[in-house]
Amino acid sequence: MKTKKHQISIVKKMLIAVVLGIICGILFLYLREYLLSVNKEKIWIIISRIFFNDISEEKGFYSIGLFYIIGQLFMRSIQLMIVPLVLSSLAIALCSMTDTNRFGKIVGKTIIIFIIFYIIGALLASCFAYFLKNLGVFSVQLPEIYEKSIVTMEAYNPLVTIINIIPYNIVDSISSNNSILSVVLIAIIIGICLNKIGKESNYIKELLTAISNIVNLYMNFIINKISPIAIFCMITRSFAIYGIEYLTPTIAWMISTIIISIVLVFTIYPIGIFISTGLNPFIFIKKITKVGLFAAATNSSAATLPLNTKTCIEELGCSEEISSFILPTGMTINMNGTTVMHMMSITFIATAAGINLRPEHLVIAAFLSICTAMGTPAIPVAGTTMIFVILSGLGFTSDFCMIGYALVLAMNYPPGMAAITLNVVGDAATNVIINEKENKLDKEKYYS
C-alpha cells in the first residue's frame, strides 16, 4: 500500500530557508573575517567569486556568482509577470465590482465604505511607518565600501506623477515594469468599459480570465517551488557580504506591522460603526473576535468566510441576502489589511536600502497598494508578492531593495496573520453598516 507523502507548507519552507540562510550567511561572514585576519584574503576572494559576486559589475567579469545568479533569476521571474498580473486581476475585479444593474445602491455603498477603510488604513499605517522611519528603526548601517551602491532619489515635482499616469501609447506602458501607474489606469479603463459593453465583451473577459489563470499557475510554481531556494541564496549572500545589519530592522518591521494591524482592528472598525450607525461598537468587537482569531489561525479569508457569515447573520443580526453579497465581495476586493502591510513593508525596504523616503512616495505607494490589493489574486502570499509591483512603480529596484524584499517575502507569515484579521473584520464591519443603512439589521439580535 502506497503511503501519502507529507507535503511541507510553503510557509514552513520559507521559514526553513530563512533560518538556514541566516546561519549559512553568518558562518560565511565569520569565515571572511577569519581569513582576512590571518592574511588569507585570496581564499575569500575565490569563495566570493564562486558564490556571491555580482557578475553584472566590471569586477565580476571573472566570477561565477552562483547565489547572485539564482537570486536574480528568481526576482526576474517575478518581474516577468508583473504587468499581466496587474492588468488581468484588476480589470477582472472591476468587471465584477461595477455590476450596478444587479445590486444597485448597495454595491455603490459597499465599495465606498471599502475605499474609505482602505484610505484610513493606508493613512494611519503610513504615518506610523514614517514615524518609525524617522526614529531610525528601519535604518541599516552598511559597511562604507557598499555605501556608493545606495540608491538616492533626485528631487522632483510629485505632480509630474499625475501627468505620467496617462502614457503616450499603451504598448510602451505595458512593456515596462517602470510604468505600473499607467498599467493600473489601463486596467481600470478596461474593467469599467468591459462592464458597460455587456455581453458583447464576454470573449475579452474570458481572455482576461484565462490570462489571470495562467499568471496564477505560473506564480504558484515560482512561489512554491523556486522561492525557498532563492530566498536561501539571497539571504545567505546578504549576510555573507553585508553582515547582520538587516536582522534587527526586519524584526522591527514584523513587530510594528503586527502592532499597527491589531490597533487598527480595535479602532477604525468600531469607530466607523459608531459614527455611521450609532450602534454600540463594543458588542461588535466582542462577537467578531472569534472570527478574527480564526482568520489569523488559518491565514485564509476563504476558510473564514463560513464562520464570518454565520456570525454576521446569527449574532450581529445582518440580513442573509445582503451578507451573501457583501462578505464574498469583501473577501475578493477588501484587502485593507494587505494595504497596511504594504505601507509598512515599503517604508522598511526603502529605508533599509538607504533611500530617503518622502511623504509623496508614500502617497503613490498607497494608491498603487489600494489598486493592487483590490485585484490581489488567490495565490500563496499574494499580498506580499504584490509589494514588488509597488516597488517597481516607485522605481525602488536596487540590489539593496531586493534584499529587503526577500526578507519581507520570507518573513511575511506573522504580519500576514494580523493583516488578514484586519481584512475579515473589515468585511463584517461593512456588512453591519450597510445592513443598518438599508434598515435590514435586526437590532434585538445585535444587542442580545
Side-chain angles (χ1 to χ4, degrees), residues 287-429:
K287 293 183 177 182
I288 208 65
T289 297
K290 61 179 176 292
V291 176
L293 292 174
F294 187 85
T298 59
N299 204 20
S300 170
S301 296
T304 311
L305 182 60
L307 178 61
N308 204 0
T309 304
K310 185 175 184 294
T311 304
C312 283
I313 295 172
E314 296 181 5
E315 297 184 36
L316 293 172
C318 296
S319 159
E320 184 175 353
E321 182 183 5
I322 295 177
S323 298
S324 64
F325 162 67
I326 292 177
L327 296 180
T329 302
M331 184 186 69
T332 306
I333 66 173
N334 183 36
M335 303 287 181
N336 51 338
T338 303
T339 293
V340 168
M341 185 174 68
H342 284 175
M343 303 312 297
M344 298 297 298
S345 301
I346 294 298
T347 306
F348 157 63
I349 292 169
T351 305
I355 297 172
N356 182 24
L357 196 72
R358 299 191 295 269
E360 56 264 33
H361 295 139
L362 290 173
V363 172
I364 297 170
F367 173 74
L368 283 172
S369 176
I370 292 171
C371 291
T372 55
M374 279 187 167
T376 298
I379 60 175
V381 294
T384 314
T385 305
M386 298 300 274
I387 291 172
F388 199 95
V389 177
I390 305 169
L391 289 172
S392 299
L394 292 168
F396 298 167
T397 54
S398 69
D399 190 30
F400 290 123
C401 287
M402 294 305 98
I403 294 169
Y405 175 68
L407 290 168
V408 167
L409 186 62
M411 305 299 290
N412 80 91
Y413 191 75
M417 292 170 64
I420 205 165
T421 301
L422 201 58
N423 292 342
V424 297
V425 175
D427 297 342

Side-chain angles (χ1 to χ4, degrees), residues 30 83 161 281 352 381:
Y30 279 111
V83 170
T161 305
V381 294

Side-chain angles (χ1 to χ4, degrees), residues 33-325:
E33 296 301 319
Y34 170 75
L35 291 174
L36 293 178
S37 66
V38 295
N39 296 319
K40 294 183 177 180
E41 185 180 356
K42 289 184 178 179
I43 297 177
W44 175 252
I45 290 174
I46 293 172
I47 293 173
S48 187
R49 283 179 176 177
I50 294 172
F51 294 107
F52 307 126
N53 278 5
D54 182 348
I55 60 172
S56 65
E57 293 182 353
E58 186 177 348
K59 64 180 181 180
F61 183 79
Y62 297 104
S63 300
I64 299 174
L66 289 175
F67 282 22
Y68 173 80
I69 290 173
I70 293 171
Q72 284 298 306
L73 289 175
F74 171 66
M75 300 312 300
R76 289 179 182 227
S77 296
I78 293 179
Q79 291 180 39
L80 179 65
M81 287 293 172
I82 289 298
V83 170
L85 179 66
V86 174
L87 194 63
S88 60
S89 60
L90 185 54
I92 291 168
L94 284 168
C95 282
S96 59
M97 276 174 52
T98 54
D99 192 0
T100 53
N101 292 329
R102 183 179 177 188
F103 300 110
K105 292 188 296 182
I106 293 178
V107 171
K109 290 179 181 179
T110 302
I111 294 172
I112 288 171
I113 292 173
F114 282 158
I115 291 174
I116 289 172
F117 281 137
Y118 262 122
I119 293 171
I120 293 172
L123 175 64
L124 295 177
S126 297
C127 292
F128 183 59
Y130 198 72
F131 172 71
L132 294 178
K133 175 245 180 191
N134 288 336
L135 288 180
V137 173
F138 298 143
S139 298
V140 174
Q141 189 63 43
L142 294 169
E144 290 183 9
I145 58 173
Y146 300 113
E147 287 184 356
K148 63 180 181 180
S149 302
I150 290 176
V151 175
T152 56
M153 301 296 294
E154 298 294 333
Y156 73 101
N157 189 331
L159 295 176
V160 173
T161 305
I162 299 173
I163 299 174
N164 292 336
I165 288 176
I166 301 179
Y168 286 106
N169 67 72
I170 292 178
V171 176
D172 281 348
S173 63
I174 64 176
S175 64
S176 170
N177 287 339
N178 295 325
S179 304
I180 294 299
L181 277 172
S182 298
V183 176
V184 168
L185 177 66
I186 292 167
I188 291 171
I189 292 171
I190 291 174
I192 294 174
C193 290
L194 287 178
N195 198 282
K196 292 294 182 181
I197 292 171
K199 292 182 180 179
E200 295 177 7
S201 66
N202 284 345
Y203 290 112
I204 300 178
K205 290 178 184 178
E206 289 173 5
L207 175 62
L208 286 171
T209 302
I211 292 172
S212 179
N213 291 337
I214 292 170
V215 171
N216 290 347
L217 184 64
Y218 171 83
M219 293 298 289
N220 270 317
F221 173 77
I222 294 297
I223 297 298
N224 283 321
K225 304 298 183 183
I226 308 299
S227 66
I229 299 170
I231 285 170
F232 166 76
C233 293
M234 293 173 74
I235 290 178
T236 299
R237 180 175 180 268
S238 300
F239 282 97
I241 294 178
Y242 308 120
I244 59 173
E245 285 81 5
Y246 271 89
L247 195 56
T248 301
T250 303
I251 295 171
W253 164 76
M254 290 175 59
I255 295 173
S256 59
T257 303
I258 293 170
I259 289 172
I260 187 62
S261 298
I262 293 173
V263 169
L264 291 179
V265 166
F266 289 100
T267 52
I268 62 172
Y269 298 135
I271 292 172
I273 287 174
F274 178 74
I275 291 174
S276 59
T277 67
L279 296 170
N280 187 336
F282 297 106
I283 293 175
F284 170 79
I285 286 295
K286 181 181 177 182
K287 293 183 177 182
I288 208 65
T289 297
K290 61 179 176 292
V291 176
L293 292 174
F294 187 85
T298 59
N299 204 20
S300 170
S301 296
T304 311
L305 182 60
L307 178 61
N308 204 0
T309 304
K310 185 175 184 294
T311 304
C312 283
I313 295 172
E314 296 181 5
E315 297 184 36
L316 293 172
C318 296
S319 159
E320 184 175 353
E321 182 183 5
I322 295 177
S323 298
S324 64
F325 162 67

